[in-house]
Amino acid sequence: MRSIYQRRQTAYEHQVWARRHLGLGEATKAKLAELKKVLLVQSGDAVSVDELVTTAAHWLYDQRIIIPADRTLRDIARDAFADVEQASIRVIRSALTSKQQALCRRELFSKRSKIGITNLEWLKTPPKRHSPTTLDETLEKIRYLKELEVHTWNLEAISLARQQAYAQAIASRPPSDSKKRKDDTQLLEVICFLRVTLLELTDSVLYQTGRRIADFT
């Protein structure tokens, strides 16, 4: 529309008329505050700030409100995401003692003496093939996690999607990079990685056992 008019004021007046004609509202402070409340609810299951930005744009569209600049939406989404992250950290501090938290951080980045890689790398290594050795290794990993008492942690207040996202974040990053971090986000990623890995290994051992039983029939 700007290319049609040489006079900026005329273009602006036409834009205002077009918005009114279409019934589009402005993204006022009140509407943006309402949007943040919506994102706070949605962020419990969101796995990233980008996902919340998309949710925000869809909500504004449904409300027939002009979508503001990306930075505005991203700031609101980031605040909502951070609020839920802090709530998740409080859940972990409630579920685990300080000693358990320190032990998990230390253990995950420690070298596994038999194979020369960190426990983090060992735990995230997928099974190579269908064999008794693979089943034994999966059971060994489960025993290791149970020694850390992972099966006793109550993290139900953190959605599984959020736990998986934090677990994936630390699994995708080199262990040396994650080890350098000492903040609450590192703790959140470590605990969620251990919990999600236990869930996945439990499913895996059931599948592998079923395959082994099928081999005997």
Side-chain angles (χ1 to χ4, degrees), residues 35-56 73-74 76-86 88 157-169 188 192:
L35 172 61
K36 183 173 182 179
K37 292 180 181 179
V38 172
L39 294 187
L40 280 172
V41 175
Q42 297 294 326
S43 60
D45 293 323
V47 299
S48 68
V49 172
D50 288 337
E51 183 177 332
L52 286 181
V53 170
T54 301
T55 300
L73 295 187
R74 197 162 295 276
I76 297 173
R78 191 179 293 110
D79 288 344
F81 196 84
D83 286 347
V84 174
E85 184 170 290
Q86 289 302 313
S88 299
I158 307 174
S159 70
L160 183 57
R162 262 298 178 95
Q163 292 184 45
Q164 290 172 332
Y166 288 126
Q168 184 59 42
L188 188 56
C192 287

Side-chain angles (χ1 to χ4, degrees), residues 13-33:
E13 291 173 356
H14 193 169
Q15 289 174 338
V16 172
W17 175 85
R19 288 198 297 267
R20 290 175 179 172
H21 183 73
L22 295 172
L24 300 178
E26 295 284 348
T28 62
K29 290 184 178 180
K31 282 297 181 180
L32 293 179

Side-chain angles (χ1 to χ4, degrees), residues 91 153-159 163:
V91 169
W153 302 343
N154 182 7
L155 305 182
E156 292 182 0
I158 307 174
S159 70
Q163 292 184 45

Side-chain angles (χ1 to χ4, degrees), residues 193-216:
F193 173 80
L194 293 172
R195 181 63 174 175
V196 169
T197 300
L198 178 59
L199 296 176
E200 293 176 347
L201 289 174
T202 302
D203 290 340
S204 181
V205 79
L206 291 174
Y207 171 76
Q208 292 172 26
T209 302
R211 289 285 302 273
R212 291 295 298 160
I213 293 174
D215 290 343
F216 293 116

Side-chain angles (χ1 to χ4, degrees), residues 12 34 66 83 88 107 115 119 137 146 151-152 171 182 193:
Y12 174 77
E34 186 178 349
I66 296 175
D83 286 347
S88 299
E107 277 290 320
I115 50 182
N119 286 314
E137 184 177 19
K146 294 190 72 173
H151 61 294
T152 66
K182 302 296 182 182
F193 173 80

Side-chain angles (χ1 to χ4, degrees), residues 120-207:
L120 169 58
E121 293 169 304
W122 173 61
L123 287 170
K124 73 178 185 180
T125 301
K128 295 181 180 180
R129 60 183 181 277
H130 169 56
S131 68
T133 304
T134 299
L135 180 59
D136 290 342
E137 184 177 19
T138 303
L139 290 171
E140 184 182 358
K141 291 178 179 179
I142 291 176
R143 284 193 294 269
Y144 170 77
L145 292 170
K146 294 190 72 173
E147 288 174 1
L148 295 176
E149 300 182 340
V150 177
H151 61 294
T152 66
W153 302 343
N154 182 7
L155 305 182
E156 292 182 0
I158 307 174
S159 70
L160 183 57
R162 262 298 178 95
Q163 292 184 45
Q164 290 172 332
Y166 288 126
Q168 184 59 42
I170 196 170
S172 301
R173 192 185 304 121
S176 58
D177 290 349
S178 294
K179 186 178 180 179
K180 295 176 184 176
R181 303 175 61 183
K182 302 296 182 182
D183 55 6
D184 288 338
T185 301
Q186 185 214 50
L187 173 64
L188 188 56
E189 292 177 353
V190 166
I191 299 306
C192 287
F193 173 80
L194 293 172
R195 181 63 174 175
V196 169
T197 300
L198 178 59
L199 296 176
E200 293 176 347
L201 289 174
T202 302
D203 290 340
S204 181
V205 79
L206 291 174
Y207 171 76

